[in-house]
Amino acid sequence: MSDGTSPYGFSVVICVYTEDRWEDILAAVDSVRKQSLPARETLLVVDHNERLLSRLTEEYAHRPSPASGAEVRVLPNAGPRGLSAGRNTGIAAARGAFVAFLDDDAVAERDWLHHFSAAYDDPRVMAVGGRTLPAWASGRRPDWFPEEFDWVVGCTYRGLPPGRVPVRNVLGGNASFRRTAFDAAGGFATGIGRDGSRRPLGCEETELCIRLSKALPEAILLIDDRAVIHHKVPTARERFGYFRTRVYAEGLSKALVARSVGAQKGLESERRYTTRVLPAGVLRGVRDALRGREGGAGRAGAIVTGVTLAAGGYALGTLRTRHGGTRFSWGPIEGAGCAPPDAAEAGTEAGSRVGTEAAGRSSGVRP
């Protein structure tokens, strides 16, 4: 696999929803087309926006394919509005043995897929994520913004281990999976991921990865920090108001995850993060403030505020789930039982064995 000669290849899924990101979308696709390990195809999944669907279809109907022959296919989201259903649409349409996901406002470095591919030499590996770096619209990180909270803007945060290491879950905007992982675990849960600016705003990849590990106990999930993408952070997301909203929404989402997969697994990584990583961040900020370094007090305050708001969101989300106020569900990917032969061949024996049995289950918080 690592020599880049596999005939199976990667299907890269980019979910899009607004024409406001037109140039970003073109840049994301272009970065996939320039990979040192060519993708088999790029799938642009449009989330219930007919004008954008038509415009992208027209755009790529007249663009020549790169020398690798990898095509760009433009598809409408076949499910309910939102990122989870868009990703599930891409998975169902994917022809490759591996499915990679790239945010529509991000660009991948040239060896992104190459590093993903190398990790799959081990047949136990079912998912590989990468490192996401922020590209601040203002040109620099806001002084008050702590690196421990870079997940707020969809990026790799301080506290994740370096190198190629096992993790509980990958981060959805820079991730890849064996196609057979979805046969074993089902797709992304609808009702929990992003849907424009509605809450909750995340954790769908966390819930899926925990479900995958339950379906395939021998599965290995990795992050390889050499698989790098650069994620655009618009000016609006550099503001403290967005920070507050996003961390509160994360608490709501974490409550849904804990309800679905259990608090022990759902909060496993968060315990270390809140008891070790964040206190160290506060101390670092206070120390910088005492030394007269710019932004130290602001970073310490932002961490304390973030923890408080996330805890509040989690408490409210837990209360809502207990009273049946929120619902989300997941199930098999449409057509997963008849995946392309090349995708099936690349799956593990365990993935094939669990397959439709696990995919047929349903989960979520029911009213």
Side-chain angles (χ1 to χ4, degrees):
M1 184 77 63
S2 58
D3 63 2
T5 60
S6 168
Y8 306 121
F10 283 83
S11 297
V12 178
V13 176
I14 303 173
C15 295
V16 303
Y17 70 99
T18 175
E19 288 184 273
D20 293 342
R21 293 186 176 179
W22 179 258
E23 295 300 329
D24 294 334
I25 295 168
L26 300 187
V29 174
D30 191 50
S31 74
V32 175
R33 286 185 150 190
K34 292 178 179 178
Q35 289 295 296
S36 60
L37 175 64
R40 176 168 181 170
E41 60 184 351
T42 301
L43 304 176
L44 285 173
V45 182
V46 183
D47 193 17
H48 298 275
N49 185 329
E50 291 298 327
R51 178 178 168 84
L52 180 59
L53 179 68
S54 298
R55 190 176 176 189
L56 284 170
T57 300
E58 178 73 12
E59 176 74 21
Y60 287 103
H62 295 93
R63 283 201 177 201
S65 295
S68 65
E71 65 176 319
V72 176
R73 290 196 283 153
V74 182
L75 310 169
N77 179 0
R81 187 181 301 276
L83 181 58
S84 291
R87 286 174 173 165
N88 291 342
T89 297
I91 295 163
R95 297 167 179 165
F98 306 93
V99 183
F101 298 96
L102 180 66
D103 277 344
D104 63 345
D105 53 353
V107 293
E109 291 192 358
R110 178 173 168 76
D111 290 331
W112 178 60
L113 290 180
H114 168 75
H115 291 301
F116 279 169
S117 177
Y120 287 111
D121 284 345
D122 184 340
R124 298 171 300 169
V125 173
M126 299 301 289
V128 186
R131 179 159 53 112
T132 303
L133 301 178
W136 303 98
S138 63
R140 62 188 295 269
R141 172 186 296 275
D143 292 332
W144 61 267
F145 203 114
E147 292 182 14
E148 291 82 0
F149 276 82
D150 276 5
W151 55 263
V152 166
V153 291
C155 295
T156 301
Y157 55 91
R158 182 193 288 266
L160 287 177
R164 183 197 285 178
V165 292
V167 291
R168 180 195 64 181
N169 63 275
V170 296
L171 303 180
N174 179 10
S176 65
F177 294 82
R178 287 191 192 271
R179 177 62 178 77
T180 50
F182 303 107
D183 297 339
F188 288 91
T190 57
I192 190 173
R194 280 187 178 273
D195 178 1
S197 59
R198 294 176 59 188
R199 293 190 304 222
L201 298 178
C203 291
E204 69 277 6
E205 67 272 16
T206 302
E207 195 272 344
L208 170 63
C209 288
I210 295 173
R211 214 178 338 117
L212 174 59
S213 294
K214 286 186 173 183
L216 300 175
E218 300 302 317
I220 296 174
L221 287 68
L222 300 173
I223 284 183
D224 188 335
D225 64 9
R226 298 171 299 173
V228 177
I229 70 169
H230 299 266
H231 186 229
K232 187 175 181 179
V233 182
T235 303
R237 296 187 181 184
E238 295 185 5
R239 296 170 183 156
F240 193 63
Y242 178 81
F243 178 90
R244 293 197 309 266
T245 300
R246 182 67 182 85
V247 294
Y248 176 74
E250 185 75 2
L252 293 173
S253 297
K254 281 293 190 295
L256 287 177
V257 172
R259 176 69 169 172
S260 173
V261 300
Q264 182 175 356
K265 280 291 184 183
L267 300 176
E268 186 177 51
S269 297
E270 287 72 15
R271 291 189 183 95
R272 176 187 175 277
Y273 175 71
T274 55
T275 59
R276 297 177 60 184
V277 175
L278 295 184
V282 172
L283 290 175
R284 190 163 39 249
V286 171
R287 185 170 59 246
D288 286 348
L290 293 175
R291 293 175 178 175
R293 293 174 180 171
E294 193 172 4
R299 289 191 296 274
I303 292 174
V304 173
T305 300
V307 171
T308 303
L309 289 174
Y314 181 82
L316 179 59
T318 300
L319 183 64
R320 286 178 177 175
T321 61
R322 288 176 179 171
H323 290 81
T326 308
R327 176 191 177 98
F328 72 96
S329 63
W330 57 268
I333 296 294
E334 187 72 22
C338 52
D342 54 357
E345 290 171 11
T348 64
E349 181 180 349
S352 300
R353 184 173 62 251
V354 176
T356 56
E357 177 185 350
R361 292 195 290 262
S362 179
S363 175
V365 181
R366 299 183 180 275

PDB file of all heavy atoms in Angstrom, residues 122-150:
ATOM      1  N   ASP A 122      -1.108  -2.190   7.763  1.00  0.00           N
ATOM      2  CA  ASP A 122      -1.563  -3.074   8.834  1.00  0.00           C
ATOM      3  C   ASP A 122      -3.064  -3.314   8.638  1.00  0.00           C
ATOM      4  O   ASP A 122      -3.859  -2.378   8.713  1.00  0.00           O
ATOM      5  CB  ASP A 122      -1.309  -2.414  10.188  1.00  0.00           C
ATOM      6  CG  ASP A 122      -1.671  -3.311  11.369  1.00  0.00           C
ATOM      7  OD1 ASP A 122      -2.450  -4.264  11.195  1.00  0.00           O
ATOM      8  OD2 ASP A 122      -1.168  -3.032  12.477  1.00  0.00           O
ATOM      9  N   PRO A 123      -3.476  -4.555   8.379  1.00  0.00           N
ATOM     10  CA  PRO A 123      -4.893  -4.808   8.085  1.00  0.00           C
ATOM     11  C   PRO A 123      -5.827  -4.541   9.254  1.00  0.00           C
ATOM     12  O   PRO A 123      -7.036  -4.455   9.066  1.00  0.00           O
ATOM     13  CB  PRO A 123      -4.906  -6.297   7.706  1.00  0.00           C
ATOM     14  CG  PRO A 123      -3.693  -6.870   8.342  1.00  0.00           C
ATOM     15  CD  PRO A 123      -2.672  -5.775   8.311  1.00  0.00           C
ATOM     16  N   ARG A 124      -5.281  -4.397  10.463  1.00  0.00           N
ATOM     17  CA  ARG A 124      -6.132  -4.092  11.614  1.00  0.00           C
ATOM     18  C   ARG A 124      -6.536  -2.624  11.658  1.00  0.00           C
ATOM     19  O   ARG A 124      -7.487  -2.260  12.369  1.00  0.00           O
ATOM     20  CB  ARG A 124      -5.417  -4.463  12.911  1.00  0.00           C
ATOM     21  CG  ARG A 124      -5.066  -5.935  13.074  1.00  0.00           C
ATOM     22  CD  ARG A 124      -4.182  -6.130  14.283  1.00  0.00           C
ATOM     23  NE  ARG A 124      -2.925  -5.368  14.138  1.00  0.00           N
ATOM     24  CZ  ARG A 124      -2.047  -5.180  15.122  1.00  0.00           C
ATOM     25  NH1 ARG A 124      -2.294  -5.677  16.330  1.00  0.00           N
ATOM     26  NH2 ARG A 124      -0.938  -4.487  14.912  1.00  0.00           N
ATOM     27  N   VAL A 125      -5.833  -1.787  10.932  1.00  0.00           N
ATOM     28  CA  VAL A 125      -6.119  -0.348  10.948  1.00  0.00           C
ATOM     29  C   VAL A 125      -7.392  -0.084  10.146  1.00  0.00           C
ATOM     30  O   VAL A 125      -7.471  -0.396   8.959  1.00  0.00           O
ATOM     31  CB  VAL A 125      -4.944   0.451  10.372  1.00  0.00           C
ATOM     32  CG1 VAL A 125      -5.320   1.928  10.239  1.00  0.00           C
ATOM     33  CG2 VAL A 125      -3.718   0.303  11.274  1.00  0.00           C
ATOM     34  N   MET A 126      -8.371   0.509  10.809  1.00  0.00           N
ATOM     35  CA  MET A 126      -9.659   0.783  10.176  1.00  0.00           C
ATOM     36  C   MET A 126      -9.895   2.270   9.929  1.00  0.00           C
ATOM     37  O   MET A 126     -10.800   2.634   9.180  1.00  0.00           O
ATOM     38  CB  MET A 126     -10.803   0.234  11.037  1.00  0.00           C
ATOM     39  CG  MET A 126     -10.744  -1.271  11.245  1.00  0.00           C
ATOM     40  SD  MET A 126     -10.803  -2.218   9.700  1.00  0.00           S
ATOM     41  CE  MET A 126     -12.498  -1.956   9.206  1.00  0.00           C
ATOM     42  N   ALA A 127      -9.108   3.131  10.571  1.00  0.00           N
ATOM     43  CA  ALA A 127      -9.268   4.573  10.368  1.00  0.00           C
ATOM     44  C   ALA A 127      -7.942   5.269  10.641  1.00  0.00           C
ATOM     45  O   ALA A 127      -7.193   4.862  11.526  1.00  0.00           O
ATOM     46  CB  ALA A 127     -10.351   5.132  11.292  1.00  0.00           C
ATOM     47  N   VAL A 128      -7.666   6.308   9.853  1.00  0.00           N
ATOM     48  CA  VAL A 128      -6.458   7.112  10.030  1.00  0.00           C
ATOM     49  C   VAL A 128      -6.829   8.585   9.881  1.00  0.00           C
ATOM     50  O   VAL A 128      -7.457   8.973   8.888  1.00  0.00           O
ATOM     51  CB  VAL A 128      -5.361   6.765   8.996  1.00  0.00           C
ATOM     52  CG1 VAL A 128      -4.076   7.533   9.315  1.00  0.00           C
ATOM     53  CG2 VAL A 128      -5.094   5.263   8.959  1.00  0.00           C
ATOM     54  N   GLY A 129      -6.469   9.370  10.872  1.00  0.00           N
ATOM     55  CA  GLY A 129      -6.665  10.810  10.797  1.00  0.00           C
ATOM     56  C   GLY A 129      -5.339  11.527  10.658  1.00  0.00           C
ATOM     57  O   GLY A 129      -4.268  10.904  10.716  1.00  0.00           O
ATOM     58  N   GLY A 130      -5.387  12.824  10.467  1.00  0.00           N
ATOM     59  CA  GLY A 130      -4.170  13.598  10.288  1.00  0.00           C
ATOM     60  C   GLY A 130      -4.136  14.823  11.174  1.00  0.00           C
ATOM     61  O   GLY A 130      -4.907  14.953  12.132  1.00  0.00           O
ATOM     62  N   ARG A 131      -3.223  15.737  10.850  1.00  0.00           N
ATOM     63  CA  ARG A 131      -3.049  16.973  11.620  1.00  0.00           C
ATOM     64  C   ARG A 131      -3.641  18.137  10.829  1.00  0.00           C
ATOM     65  O   ARG A 131      -3.347  18.309   9.640  1.00  0.00           O
ATOM     66  CB  ARG A 131      -1.566  17.216  11.897  1.00  0.00           C
ATOM     67  CG  ARG A 131      -1.270  18.497  12.674  1.00  0.00           C
ATOM     68  CD  ARG A 131       0.096  18.443  13.346  1.00  0.00           C
ATOM     69  NE  ARG A 131       1.151  18.114  12.389  1.00  0.00           N
ATOM     70  CZ  ARG A 131       2.106  18.953  12.000  1.00  0.00           C
ATOM     71  NH1 ARG A 131       2.128  20.194  12.464  1.00  0.00           N
ATOM     72  NH2 ARG A 131       3.026  18.571  11.152  1.00  0.00           N
ATOM     73  N   THR A 132      -4.459  18.928  11.489  1.00  0.00           N
ATOM     74  CA  THR A 132      -5.125  20.061  10.863  1.00  0.00           C
ATOM     75  C   THR A 132      -4.608  21.354  11.474  1.00  0.00           C
ATOM     76  O   THR A 132      -4.723  21.570  12.686  1.00  0.00           O
ATOM     77  CB  THR A 132      -6.651  19.970  11.041  1.00  0.00           C
ATOM     78  OG1 THR A 132      -7.118  18.732  10.493  1.00  0.00           O
ATOM     79  CG2 THR A 132      -7.349  21.126  10.342  1.00  0.00           C
ATOM     80  N   LEU A 133      -4.029  22.204  10.637  1.00  0.00           N
ATOM     81  CA  LEU A 133      -3.445  23.458  11.097  1.00  0.00           C
ATOM     82  C   LEU A 133      -4.361  24.625  10.739  1.00  0.00           C
ATOM     83  O   LEU A 133      -4.912  24.673   9.633  1.00  0.00           O
ATOM     84  CB  LEU A 133      -2.071  23.663  10.449  1.00  0.00           C
ATOM     85  CG  LEU A 133      -1.035  22.569  10.726  1.00  0.00           C
ATOM     86  CD1 LEU A 133       0.261  22.874   9.971  1.00  0.00           C
ATOM     87  CD2 LEU A 133      -0.769  22.434  12.218  1.00  0.00           C
ATOM     88  N   PRO A 134      -4.531  25.583  11.648  1.00  0.00           N
ATOM     89  CA  PRO A 134      -5.404  26.727  11.357  1.00  0.00           C
ATOM     90  C   PRO A 134      -4.744  27.733  10.420  1.00  0.00           C
ATOM     91  O   PRO A 134      -3.553  28.037  10.564  1.00  0.00           O
ATOM     92  CB  PRO A 134      -5.643  27.341  12.740  1.00  0.00           C
ATOM     93  CG  PRO A 134      -4.440  26.954  13.543  1.00  0.00           C
ATOM     94  CD  PRO A 134      -3.987  25.618  13.021  1.00  0.00           C
ATOM     95  N   ALA A 135      -5.525  28.214   9.474  1.00  0.00           N
ATOM     96  CA  ALA A 135      -5.099  29.319   8.609  1.00  0.00           C
ATOM     97  C   ALA A 135      -5.971  30.516   8.976  1.00  0.00           C
ATOM     98  O   ALA A 135      -7.081  30.680   8.466  1.00  0.00           O
ATOM     99  CB  ALA A 135      -5.263  28.947   7.143  1.00  0.00           C
ATOM    100  N   TRP A 136      -5.475  31.340   9.904  1.00  0.00           N
ATOM    101  CA  TRP A 136      -6.263  32.448  10.457  1.00  0.00           C
ATOM    102  C   TRP A 136      -6.481  33.525   9.408  1.00  0.00           C
ATOM    103  O   TRP A 136      -5.545  33.949   8.735  1.00  0.00           O
ATOM    104  CB  TRP A 136      -5.549  33.032  11.672  1.00  0.00           C
ATOM    105  CG  TRP A 136      -5.265  32.034  12.748  1.00  0.00           C
ATOM    106  CD1 TRP A 136      -4.084  31.372  12.965  1.00  0.00           C
ATOM    107  CD2 TRP A 136      -6.168  31.571  13.754  1.00  0.00           C
ATOM    108  NE1 TRP A 136      -4.199  30.531  14.046  1.00  0.00           N
ATOM    109  CE2 TRP A 136      -5.466  30.635  14.556  1.00  0.00           C
ATOM    110  CE3 TRP A 136      -7.505  31.865  14.066  1.00  0.00           C
ATOM    111  CZ2 TRP A 136      -6.059  29.979  15.639  1.00  0.00           C
ATOM    112  CZ3 TRP A 136      -8.089  31.221  15.158  1.00  0.00           C
ATOM    113  CH2 TRP A 136      -7.378  30.293  15.919  1.00  0.00           C
ATOM    114  N   ALA A 137      -7.720  33.977   9.273  1.00  0.00           N
ATOM    115  CA  ALA A 137      -8.038  35.011   8.295  1.00  0.00           C
ATOM    116  C   ALA A 137      -7.268  36.295   8.564  1.00  0.00           C
ATOM    117  O   ALA A 137      -6.883  37.019   7.640  1.00  0.00           O
ATOM    118  CB  ALA A 137      -9.540  35.287   8.292  1.00  0.00           C
ATOM    119  N   SER A 138      -7.014  36.584   9.842  1.00  0.00           N
ATOM    120  CA  SER A 138      -6.294  37.794  10.214  1.00  0.00           C
ATOM    121  C   SER A 138      -4.789  37.664  10.002  1.00  0.00           C
ATOM    122  O   SER A 138      -4.060  38.638  10.111  1.00  0.00           O
ATOM    123  CB  SER A 138      -6.563  38.123  11.687  1.00  0.00           C
ATOM    124  OG  SER A 138      -6.073  37.080  12.526  1.00  0.00           O
ATOM    125  N   GLY A 139      -4.333  36.456   9.714  1.00  0.00           N
ATOM    126  CA  GLY A 139      -2.913  36.229   9.487  1.00  0.00           C
ATOM    127  C   GLY A 139      -2.147  35.749  10.701  1.00  0.00           C
ATOM    128  O   GLY A 139      -0.990  35.344  10.589  1.00  0.00           O
ATOM    129  N   ARG A 140      -2.785  35.766  11.883  1.00  0.00           N
ATOM    130  CA  ARG A 140      -2.115  35.308  13.095  1.00  0.00           C
ATOM    131  C   ARG A 140      -3.143  34.865  14.124  1.00  0.00           C
ATOM    132  O   ARG A 140      -4.294  35.324  14.103  1.00  0.00           O
ATOM    133  CB  ARG A 140      -1.228  36.407  13.692  1.00  0.00           C
ATOM    134  CG  ARG A 140      -1.972  37.654  14.124  1.00  0.00           C
ATOM    135  CD  ARG A 140      -1.031  38.787  14.517  1.00  0.00           C
ATOM    136  NE  ARG A 140      -0.258  38.455  15.699  1.00  0.00           N
ATOM    137  CZ  ARG A 140      -0.636  38.738  16.944  1.00  0.00           C
ATOM    138  NH1 ARG A 140      -1.803  39.345  17.172  1.00  0.00           N
ATOM    139  NH2 ARG A 140       0.147  38.437  17.966  1.00  0.00           N
ATOM    140  N   ARG A 141      -2.722  33.980  15.001  1.00  0.00           N
ATOM    141  CA  ARG A 141      -3.598  33.513  16.072  1.00  0.00           C
ATOM    142  C   ARG A 141      -3.960  34.672  16.996  1.00  0.00           C
ATOM    143  O   ARG A 141      -3.086  35.442  17.408  1.00  0.00           O
ATOM    144  CB  ARG A 141      -2.865  32.434  16.878  1.00  0.00           C
ATOM    145  CG  ARG A 141      -3.597  31.992  18.150  1.00  0.00           C
ATOM    146  CD  ARG A 141      -2.752  31.021  18.972  1.00  0.00           C
ATOM    147  NE  ARG A 141      -2.525  29.806  18.214  1.00  0.00           N
ATOM    148  CZ  ARG A 141      -3.366  28.780  18.175  1.00  0.00           C
ATOM    149  NH1 ARG A 141      -4.489  28.826  18.878  1.00  0.00           N
ATOM    150  NH2 ARG A 141      -3.092  27.708  17.459  1.00  0.00           N
ATOM    151  N   PRO A 142      -5.244  34.826  17.363  1.00  0.00           N
ATOM    152  CA  PRO A 142      -5.591  35.838  18.360  1.00  0.00           C
ATOM    153  C   PRO A 142      -4.834  35.581  19.667  1.00  0.00           C
ATOM    154  O   PRO A 142      -4.684  34.428  20.087  1.00  0.00           O
ATOM    155  CB  PRO A 142      -7.103  35.636  18.548  1.00  0.00           C
ATOM    156  CG  PRO A 142      -7.566  35.001  17.262  1.00  0.00           C
ATOM    157  CD  PRO A 142      -6.425  34.146  16.816  1.00  0.00           C
ATOM    158  N   ASP A 143      -4.364  36.631  20.303  1.00  0.00           N
ATOM    159  CA  ASP A 143      -3.533  36.483  21.500  1.00  0.00           C
ATOM    160  C   ASP A 143      -4.215  35.676  22.595  1.00  0.00           C
ATOM    161  O   ASP A 143      -3.561  34.948  23.346  1.00  0.00           O
ATOM    162  CB  ASP A 143      -3.162  37.863  22.051  1.00  0.00           C
ATOM    163  CG  ASP A 143      -2.225  38.621  21.121  1.00  0.00           C
ATOM    164  OD1 ASP A 143      -1.470  37.969  20.377  1.00  0.00           O
ATOM    165  OD2 ASP A 143      -2.267  39.869  21.141  1.00  0.00           O
ATOM    166  N   TRP A 144      -5.523  35.811  22.701  1.00  0.00           N
ATOM    167  CA  TRP A 144      -6.258  35.172  23.794  1.00  0.00           C
ATOM    168  C   TRP A 144      -6.628  33.726  23.497  1.00  0.00           C
ATOM    169  O   TRP A 144      -7.073  32.999  24.386  1.00  0.00           O
ATOM    170  CB  TRP A 144      -7.555  35.950  24.074  1.00  0.00           C
ATOM    171  CG  TRP A 144      -8.475  35.978  22.879  1.00  0.00           C
ATOM    172  CD1 TRP A 144      -8.529  36.932  21.917  1.00  0.00           C
ATOM    173  CD2 TRP A 144      -9.427  34.983  22.526  1.00  0.00           C
ATOM    174  NE1 TRP A 144      -9.475  36.600  20.966  1.00  0.00           N
ATOM    175  CE2 TRP A 144     -10.042  35.402  21.317  1.00  0.00           C
ATOM    176  CE3 TRP A 144      -9.848  33.777  23.091  1.00  0.00           C
ATOM    177  CZ2 TRP A 144     -11.036  34.670  20.678  1.00  0.00           C
ATOM    178  CZ3 TRP A 144     -10.837  33.037  22.456  1.00  0.00           C
ATOM    179  CH2 TRP A 144     -11.422  33.485  21.267  1.00  0.00           C
ATOM    180  N   PHE A 145      -6.450  33.263  22.249  1.00  0.00           N
ATOM    181  CA  PHE A 145      -6.978  31.965  21.824  1.00  0.00           C
ATOM    182  C   PHE A 145      -6.006  30.844  22.219  1.00  0.00           C
ATOM    183  O   PHE A 145      -4.929  30.717  21.656  1.00  0.00           O
ATOM    184  CB  PHE A 145      -7.197  31.955  20.311  1.00  0.00           C
ATOM    185  CG  PHE A 145      -8.200  30.944  19.851  1.00  0.00           C
ATOM    186  CD1 PHE A 145      -9.403  31.338  19.288  1.00  0.00           C
ATOM    187  CD2 PHE A 145      -7.957  29.584  19.975  1.00  0.00           C
ATOM    188  CE1 PHE A 145     -10.337  30.405  18.859  1.00  0.00           C
ATOM    189  CE2 PHE A 145      -8.883  28.643  19.561  1.00  0.00           C
ATOM    190  CZ  PHE A 145     -10.082  29.060  19.008  1.00  0.00           C
ATOM    191  N   PRO A 146      -6.386  29.959  23.160  1.00  0.00           N
ATOM    192  CA  PRO A 146      -5.480  28.900  23.612  1.00  0.00           C
ATOM    193  C   PRO A 146      -5.387  27.754  22.612  1.00  0.00           C
ATOM    194  O   PRO A 146      -6.402  27.335  22.046  1.00  0.00           O
ATOM    195  CB  PRO A 146      -6.114  28.422  24.929  1.00  0.00           C
ATOM    196  CG  PRO A 146      -7.564  28.753  24.795  1.00  0.00           C
ATOM    197  CD  PRO A 146      -7.653  29.979  23.928  1.00  0.00           C
ATOM    198  N   GLU A 147      -4.185  27.251  22.405  1.00  0.00           N
ATOM    199  CA  GLU A 147      -3.994  26.124  21.496  1.00  0.00           C
ATOM    200  C   GLU A 147      -4.741  24.887  21.969  1.00  0.00           C
ATOM    201  O   GLU A 147      -5.096  24.016  21.154  1.00  0.00           O
ATOM    202  CB  GLU A 147      -2.506  25.809  21.362  1.00  0.00           C
ATOM    203  CG  GLU A 147      -1.711  26.891  20.648  1.00  0.00           C
ATOM    204  CD  GLU A 147      -0.250  26.510  20.496  1.00  0.00           C
ATOM    205  OE1 GLU A 147       0.086  25.317  20.691  1.00  0.00           O
ATOM    206  OE2 GLU A 147       0.563  27.396  20.193  1.00  0.00           O
ATOM    207  N   GLU A 148      -4.988  24.793  23.266  1.00  0.00           N
ATOM    208  CA  GLU A 148      -5.736  23.656  23.805  1.00  0.00           C
ATOM    209  C   GLU A 148      -7.169  23.604  23.274  1.00  0.00           C
ATOM    210  O   GLU A 148      -7.828  22.558  23.351  1.00  0.00           O
ATOM    211  CB  GLU A 148      -5.776  23.729  25.334  1.00  0.00           C
ATOM    212  CG  GLU A 148      -4.439  23.495  26.018  1.00  0.00           C
ATOM    213  CD  GLU A 148      -3.547  24.732  26.054  1.00  0.00           C
ATOM    214  OE1 GLU A 148      -3.968  25.807  25.536  1.00  0.00           O
ATOM    215  OE2 GLU A 148      -2.442  24.636  26.609  1.00  0.00           O
ATOM    216  N   PHE A 149      -7.652  24.713  22.727  1.00  0.00           N
ATOM    217  CA  PHE A 149      -9.021  24.781  22.214  1.00  0.00           C
ATOM    218  C   PHE A 149      -9.061  24.957  20.685  1.00  0.00           C
ATOM    219  O   PHE A 149     -10.064  25.412  20.145  1.00  0.00           O
ATOM    220  CB  PHE A 149      -9.795  25.918  22.893  1.00  0.00           C
ATOM    221  CG  PHE A 149     -10.391  25.523  24.210  1.00  0.00           C
ATOM    222  CD1 PHE A 149      -9.630  25.532  25.363  1.00  0.00           C
ATOM    223  CD2 PHE A 149     -11.717  25.130  24.308  1.00  0.00           C
ATOM    224  CE1 PHE A 149     -10.168  25.164  26.584  1.00  0.00           C
ATOM    225  CE2 PHE A 149     -12.270  24.765  25.521  1.00  0.00           C
ATOM    226  CZ  PHE A 149     -11.497  24.777  26.674  1.00  0.00           C
ATOM    227  N   ASP A 150      -8.023  24.553  19.995  1.00  0.00           N
ATOM    228  CA  ASP A 150      -8.045  24.678  18.536  1.00  0.00           C
ATOM    229  C   ASP A 150      -9.111  23.798  17.894  1.00  0.00           C
ATOM    230  O   ASP A 150      -9.493  24.012  16.741  1.00  0.00           O
ATOM    231  CB  ASP A 150      -6.672  24.351  17.942  1.00  0.00           C
ATOM    232  CG  ASP A 150      -5.734  25.548  17.970  1.00  0.00           C
ATOM    233  OD1 ASP A 150      -6.104  26.589  18.524  1.00  0.00           O
ATOM    234  OD2 ASP A 150      -4.611  25.432  17.430  1.00  0.00           O
TER     235      ASP A 150
END
